[in-house]
Amino acid sequence: MDVGSWVRELRLDAPSHIAPVCLPQTVARVGAIIGVDAVEWGVQHAKEIAEANIVEFPHIGGGPAQLDTLRLGVESATLSMLECMYEGSVSDSTLPYESESQIRDFVHRRITLTDQWAMIRQGHAALVRRLMAACAQLTAEPERSSRLLAVTDIAFDFIDAYWVEVARAYEGEQQRFDESALISRETALRALLDGDETDLGEVGRRLRYDVVHRWHIALVFSRIAPGEWDELLTNAAREALVALGARQVLLVPRGHAVLWAFGNSPAPIDSEWGWRPPDSVGMAVGDPGWDAAGFRTSHERAVVAHRLANYVRGDSSVTHYRDIDLLDLLLTDRERAREFVDYELGDLADPGAGTAELRRTVATYLDNHNTRATAATLFVARNTVTYRLRKAETLIGHSLTARSLQARVALYLAELFHLDED
């Protein structure tokens, strides 16, 4: 009996518009064996599993490019397992190129092998559940029981062989990385950022970047849209710092999708230099600073601006720290901030289109302190504004003017938290 023929019957309920992240030749090769529909099924489910991994392990990074990097490993493993299911055995344990690429990224971003194993286990369990459900649906008795048993046997044989290869590749890449000159530079940079000023001359030599008696500005470049690593961020950083007039440049890649950049000058640096990054690249800018302390402060603020950019970016791809300094303060303790929103807004903080409309009306009113101006801003009748404000006061439990500053801050935070949830 052909235990794996059901794999070629896999298909999604609706056509998928998700592009594979594996190499076209990989997709074509597997598609020739198990069929295009089964490949599409695998790509869709692999993306969902990768998204679940990011929710479970947020420290690996949740941006579009980081998701695509994680999908590389999940998708290639999924397609390989489907191929083994169809053929009825695990014959080749060689790690796919795409999985090796993901492992290189994880090593360079200091994501541990333990985290890698935890994500593989979670993804493997999710994929086996989906395969069991699909096999049971596509297979009739009397073959169903034997085919379900084959699914579990092949799945566990596959993960055993796959993990051995992952560990081997990870350890090999870790050794190469540790032995390279990059580790020396990263160690020097980390010491500097941690406040170690024991020998700044030696730090400058290892970084090939003068730290003392210089003005510094730190930038963080990132991909807004996913894509392959192709020097886009490096070229953008060099152009930005040259346009700024930096005498020396220090570039530090952080995985595929993020790049730290530093520039120095003996003269004060103006962070408003008019340069704009290319499409699909975001730039976060720290305040210029003097000497080693200024180097650290500028970097810390650029990193914060990068982390909070989605809240304030709008149509601009550039975020300055001064754009988010208040936001940084408000979100220093996110749990306390959420408690503050609930305390100040009461039922007005509840999700839903109706309360969102009321919050927008109250925020506009508190900005204008005038119902006529609020109505004009929102393009509604003045009586509508009055009605909404009274309803909002009922939900809050007191007059809007009693704690207007607290209410406006709480509304601002509520908007950000609902943006997070979306």
Side-chain angles (χ1 to χ4, degrees):
M1 180 185 63
D2 185 1
V3 297
S5 58
W6 61 273
V7 173
R8 290 191 65 90
E9 298 177 39
L10 287 171
R11 53 185 42 81
L12 298 171
D13 294 334
S16 173
H17 301 291
I18 299 173
V21 291
C22 285
L23 295 173
Q25 53 266 40
T26 300
V27 175
R29 184 189 64 79
V30 178
I33 297 171
I34 67 174
V36 174
D37 289 336
V39 167
E40 187 175 72
W41 185 96
V43 169
Q44 169 74 40
H45 286 277
K47 180 175 184 291
E48 293 172 2
I49 291 169
E51 289 170 340
N53 272 161
I54 283 181
V55 171
E56 185 67 22
F57 305 92
H59 56 284
I60 69 173
Q66 281 89 346
L67 174 59
D68 273 21
T69 300
L70 181 57
R71 283 181 62 199
L72 274 177
V74 179
E75 186 177 293
S76 63
T78 298
L79 296 182
S80 295
M81 187 184 290
L82 289 176
E83 183 180 350
C84 292
M85 290 288 172
Y86 176 73
E87 294 176 346
S89 65
V90 178
S91 56
D92 183 8
S93 61
T94 303
L95 205 62
Y97 167 83
E98 291 87 347
S99 293
E100 291 187 339
S101 178
Q102 182 210 66
I103 289 169
R104 285 194 296 273
D105 181 74
F106 278 13
V107 170
H108 294 183
R109 289 201 288 130
R110 301 297 191 184
I111 295 174
T112 67
L113 189 57
T114 300
D115 279 344
Q116 175 104 10
W117 173 231
M119 286 185 282
I120 288 175
R121 284 191 302 175
Q122 177 176 293
H124 177 256
L127 181 57
V128 170
R129 287 194 297 270
R130 295 170 190 226
L131 286 170
M132 295 282 284
C135 180
Q137 181 180 9
L138 296 172
T139 306
E141 293 291 0
E143 295 87 7
R144 182 179 298 154
S145 298
S146 59
R147 288 184 173 179
L148 287 173
L149 181 61
V151 168
T152 58
D153 288 343
I154 293 169
F156 283 102
D157 287 345
F158 176 89
I159 201 63
D160 286 343
Y162 184 77
W163 173 243
V164 169
E165 291 303 308
V166 166
R168 178 196 59 76
Y170 189 98
E171 290 168 0
E173 183 62 29
Q174 183 72 63
Q175 182 177 1
R176 287 188 292 273
F177 183 75
D178 288 345
E179 291 174 350
S180 71
L182 289 175
I183 195 67
S184 176
R185 186 179 73 161
E186 183 167 322
T187 300
L189 177 62
R190 179 51 54 197
L192 178 59
L193 293 177
D194 287 343
D196 184 355
E197 300 186 11
T198 305
D199 190 346
L200 293 177
E202 173 62 14
V203 168
R205 186 190 66 77
R206 291 164 68 182
L207 294 177
R208 297 184 181 179
Y209 178 94
D210 294 330
V211 177
V212 296
H213 306 308
R214 292 289 188 276
W215 285 94
H216 304 276
I217 188 166
L219 314 171
V220 176
F221 289 84
S222 60
R223 282 188 172 274
I224 297 174
E228 295 181 0
W229 179 258
D230 57 2
E231 304 299 323
L232 175 63
L233 299 184
T234 300
N235 292 338
R238 291 190 183 280
E239 288 181 14
L241 291 168
V242 167
L244 187 66
R247 295 290 184 87
Q248 292 178 315
V249 171
L250 173 62
L251 305 182
V252 184
R254 307 297 294 176
H256 286 306
V258 176
L259 176 74
W260 292 350
F262 305 84
N264 69 22
S265 173
I269 295 174
D270 181 6
S271 60
E272 283 288 352
W273 71 108
W275 185 89
R276 289 295 178 268
D279 293 342
S280 83
V281 173
M283 181 175 72
V285 184
D287 295 333
W290 173 256
D291 215 79
F295 180 95
R296 284 192 297 275
T297 301
S298 186
H299 173 68
E300 290 166 0
R301 292 178 176 178
V303 169
V304 171
H306 166 65
R307 176 166 53 85
L308 300 179
N310 287 338
Y311 292 118
V312 297
R313 178 171 282 149
D315 295 331
S316 174
S317 58
V318 179
T319 306
H320 290 262
Y321 177 76
R322 62 176 172 273
D323 298 331
I324 53 85
D325 53 357
L326 177 59
L327 177 59
D328 181 30
L329 175 65
L330 293 174
L331 294 181
T332 298
D333 187 333
R334 296 177 72 89
E335 184 176 348
R336 289 288 301 278
R338 286 183 180 274
E339 291 174 357
F340 174 77
V341 170
D342 292 337
Y343 176 79
E344 285 297 328
L345 300 186
D347 291 339
L348 188 59
D350 291 345
T355 48
E357 183 178 64
L358 291 179
R359 288 194 298 271
R360 186 164 54 252
T361 301
V362 174
T364 305
Y365 171 73
L366 291 175
D367 289 342
N368 290 287
H369 300 287
N370 183 284
T371 55
R372 187 184 302 278
T374 301
T377 301
L378 298 177
F379 300 102
V380 297
R382 189 176 181 184
N383 288 342
T384 300
V385 171
T386 302
Y387 168 77
R388 291 178 184 175
L389 295 178
R390 288 175 179 171
K391 188 172 181 179
E393 288 179 335
T394 301
L395 293 175
I396 292 176
H398 57 74
S399 168
L400 293 173
T401 58
R403 293 169 60 85
S404 59
L405 175 60
Q406 291 90 335
R408 186 64 187 91
V409 172
L411 288 165
Y412 176 52
L413 288 171
E415 179 183 358
L416 298 179
F417 291 143
H418 287 298
L419 179 64
D420 269 347
E421 293 166 1
D422 293 342

